[in-house]
Amino acid sequence: MTMESVDNYQLFGISDIPDIEPGTDLAEVIVSAFEKYGGLKNQDVIVVASKIVSKAENMYCSTSGVSASSEAIELARITGKPEKVCQIVIDESQSYRTNGKALIAVQKQGFELSSAGVDRLSDELVILLPRDPDKSAERISLGILEQAGVQVAVVISDSHGRADRAGAGAVALGIYGISPLRITSTTQANGKVKYAEETLCDLLAAGASVILGQRGRGIPVVCVRGLSFQFDPTASVKSILHYAPKDSNVSQ
Amino acid sequence: MTMESVDNYQLFGISDIPDIEPGTDLAEVIVSAFEKYGGLKNQDVIVVASKIVSKAENMYCSTSGVSASSEAIELARITGKPEKVCQIVIDESQSYRTNGKALIAVQKQGFELSSAGVDRLSDELVILLPRDPDKSAERISLGILEQAGVQVAVVISDSHGRADRAGAGAVALGIYGISPLRITSTTQANGKVKYAEETLCDLLAAGASVILGQRGRGIPVVCVRGLSFQFDPTASVKSILHYAPKDSNVSQ
């Protein structure tokens, strides 16, 4: 993508998103919430917290029907997490590693995340990641186009920690309309051209997360305005994942 | 820190920063560059690319005087990087791992980064990270306060990749004035209070990197304006690093 003209942009949070129920049309909720902000604009990038996408897609999972394997019981002993939650993390993962406290898993779709993105809502209830976040992003964008007549890019963001430091940052799980990578080139002193790839979708997810925040800040949607980019309906996070399963282009 | 009122902010890049030479006073350069943007304001957060900090602090390192150990020769064979550069990465690191292409190292100060942050400028010249990026951030902020009379927070940012995806994101190496973490709490359905820590300094570094970009975009300084935060002169990235050396509070 070309993005020469990006030297400023702004972000604002949409604070009056109602509670999201399974089956909620997120495009409708977003279009409606933006009305009091003067509406959406073409070329806006809408960053949506994965949590509300999971809720709308009914990704709740009760621990009551889960029975913990010996592997899950051992993982619970190491991490201090409930055995049934550990079983769900194992079921959601391609592989995992733990250093005793953190449990880092490569989730089935290829995302490396804390606890494979399994989020504990209570002792009996967890919520899983959207099944196909690129598809979720596409659905929201196309819904907004249909309902409001504007073409926006959508980024589904989630939080994840780094091994070297405390706290959580944010990454993109799904994207629609804006390329996940930005490629820049420079000519070195010796004349060789060097290319650098930046994970633009993650930079946007992180910048928006200054507003989104984690749990309980009540702002699950952020508008990024002022970026100049070429709208790309084929953009996906899946396309840049090293551990994506081979059949991952099969849609839901 | 409290940050209840953060529901919007803006970022803009400072595009006419001159080439930085060893010994350049970055505070002076930044104050001067901001003049045509109406000047700096109290509570601005200035994000500075680590590269220009390294240049100002003369962190250039020639490969000519380096002799590669057998370990470096083996690492060069695996990664395809020059032997002498591998030796410098080893010298800069507490530990490292490689999957053949990527070389991920925990740098001496505790940052986990691609090639320990060693950046190859040519076959004969690399540039290393600032020796104490928190101190660098403090120096820039205090210089700006002295020269322009405004109190700004400073974040020194650098790029780094993730194992699960292509491209580079951005993290904070050093900080001054703004807490590196934001802590939020929520009460769960069962009445338990759950705390979440977000690495605010990394979110800011990433959001700014949409503008900073990597190599050759020519915008090494970004202003983040509109955040409301309590100025904290004790803030440091060092304080949240899991692998920071025990004696890391020794200043330069």
Side-chain angles (χ1 to χ4, degrees):
Chain A
M1 71 177 296
T2 51
M3 216 173 185
E4 289 83 8
S5 58
V6 176
D7 60 2
N8 72 86
Y9 70 104
Q10 54 178 304
L11 304 98
F12 56 96
I14 305 303
S15 55
D16 46 1
I17 300 286
D19 275 347
I20 303 300
E21 305 289 338
T24 298
D25 179 341
L26 287 179
E28 194 181 314
V29 166
I30 291 168
V31 167
S32 164
F34 268 87
E35 274 169 16
K36 78 166 203 185
Y37 297 87
L40 287 154
K41 294 188 178 175
N42 285 312
Q43 297 285 104
D44 280 348
V45 181
I46 308 303
V47 183
V48 183
S50 67
K51 181 66 73 59
I52 67 165
V53 179
S54 292
K55 286 181 172 179
E57 296 181 2
N58 198 15
M59 296 305 298
Y60 294 99
C61 174
S62 165
T63 59
S64 64
V66 175
S67 56
S69 63
S70 55
E71 185 183 351
I73 292 168
E74 173 63 10
L75 188 56
R77 195 189 60 74
I78 297 169
T79 61
K81 296 181 196 299
E83 294 173 356
K84 291 181 172 192
V85 171
C86 288
Q87 184 62 53
I88 295 171
V89 172
I90 292 170
D91 292 344
E92 285 291 304
S93 304
Q94 298 179 32
S95 65
Y96 63 84
R97 60 193 157 86
T98 177
N99 61 8
K101 282 186 80 173
L103 170 54
I104 311 296
V106 180
Q107 192 261 6
K108 284 186 292 190
Q109 298 163 71
F111 305 116
E112 187 176 85
L113 292 170
S114 311
S115 298
V118 174
D119 202 351
R120 210 178 346 152
L121 300 175
S122 70
D123 289 344
E124 293 79 33
L125 195 65
V126 303
I127 192 159
L128 309 178
L129 297 185
R131 273 293 161 244
D132 186 343
D134 284 324
K135 203 79 192 167
S136 306
E138 179 184 5
R139 200 181 296 127
I140 294 169
S141 177
L142 294 181
I144 289 171
L145 180 62
E146 194 185 314
Q147 294 168 41
V150 289
Q151 192 171 57
V152 300
V154 172
V155 177
I156 313 281
S157 83
D158 199 16
S159 59
H160 179 57
R162 283 174 56 94
D164 64 340
R165 54 189 64 202
V171 293
L173 296 185
I175 201 164
Y176 181 73
I178 186 169
S179 175
L181 295 180
R182 177 170 62 187
I183 299 165
T184 51
S185 63
T186 34
T187 306
Q188 293 182 287
N190 60 10
K192 281 187 199 164
V193 177
K194 209 168 168 179
Y195 293 94
E197 287 182 334
E198 293 168 278
T199 320
L200 181 65
C201 56
D202 288 349
L203 300 180
L204 292 169
S209 290
V210 172
I211 297 170
L212 289 174
Q214 282 199 318
R215 307 163 193 289
R217 297 198 72 239
I219 303 181
V221 177
V222 163
C223 179
V224 179
R225 184 165 285 172
L227 294 180
S228 167
F229 62 96
Q230 202 171 351
F231 197 87
D232 176 6
T234 69
S236 78
V237 170
K238 203 178 287 171
S239 68
I240 62 162
L241 293 182
H242 298 316
Y243 312 130
K246 289 286 172 278
D247 63 348
S248 67
N249 285 319
V250 179
S251 61
Q252 291 183 280
Chain B
M1 66 176 296
T2 52
M3 216 173 185
E4 289 84 5
S5 58
V6 176
D7 60 2
N8 70 84
Y9 70 104
Q10 54 177 303
L11 304 97
F12 56 96
I14 304 304
S15 56
D16 46 2
I17 300 284
D19 276 346
I20 303 301
E21 305 289 337
T24 298
D25 179 343
L26 286 179
E28 193 182 315
V29 166
I30 291 169
V31 166
S32 163
F34 267 88
E35 274 170 16
K36 77 167 204 186
Y37 297 86
L40 288 154
K41 293 186 178 176
N42 285 310
Q43 296 284 106
D44 280 347
V45 181
I46 308 303
V47 183
V48 183
S50 68
K51 180 67 71 63
I52 66 165
V53 180
S54 291
K55 287 181 172 180
E57 296 180 2
N58 199 14
M59 295 305 298
Y60 293 98
C61 173
S62 164
T63 59
S64 64
V66 175
S67 55
S69 63
S70 56
E71 184 184 351
I73 293 167
E74 172 63 8
L75 188 57
R77 195 188 59 75
I78 297 169
T79 61
K81 296 180 197 298
E83 295 174 355
K84 290 181 172 191
V85 171
C86 288
Q87 185 62 54
I88 295 171
V89 172
I90 292 170
D91 292 345
E92 284 292 303
S93 305
Q94 298 179 29
S95 64
Y96 63 85
R97 59 193 159 86
T98 177
N99 61 8
K101 281 188 80 172
L103 171 55
I104 310 297
V106 179
Q107 191 260 8
K108 284 187 292 190
Q109 298 163 70
F111 306 115
E112 186 177 86
L113 292 170
S114 312
S115 298
V118 174
D119 203 351
R120 208 176 348 149
L121 300 177
S122 71
D123 289 344
E124 293 79 35
L125 195 66
V126 302
I127 191 158
L128 310 178
L129 298 185
R131 273 292 162 245
D132 186 344
D134 284 325
K135 205 78 194 167
S136 306
E138 179 184 6
R139 200 179 298 128
I140 294 168
S141 178
L142 294 181
I144 289 170
L145 180 63
E146 194 185 314
Q147 294 168 40
V150 290
Q151 192 171 56
V152 300
V154 172
V155 177
I156 312 281
S157 83
D158 199 15
S159 59
H160 179 59
R162 283 175 55 93
D164 64 341
R165 54 190 63 202
V171 293
L173 296 185
I175 202 163
Y176 181 74
I178 185 168
S179 174
L181 295 180
R182 178 169 62 186
I183 298 164
T184 51
S185 64
T186 34
T187 306
Q188 293 182 287
N190 61 9
K192 281 187 198 163
V193 177
K194 209 168 167 179
Y195 293 94
E197 286 182 334
E198 293 169 278
T199 320
L200 181 65
C201 56
D202 288 350
L203 301 180
L204 292 170
S209 290
V210 172
I211 298 170
L212 288 175
Q214 282 200 316
R215 307 163 190 291
R217 295 197 72 240
I219 303 182
V221 177
V222 164
C223 178
V224 179
R225 183 165 286 172
L227 295 180
S228 167
F229 62 95
Q230 203 172 347
F231 198 87
D232 175 6
T234 70
S236 78
V237 170
K238 202 179 290 172
S239 67
I240 62 162
L241 292 183
H242 299 316
Y243 312 129
K246 290 286 174 280
D247 64 345
S248 68
N249 285 318
V250 179
S251 60
Q252 291 183 280

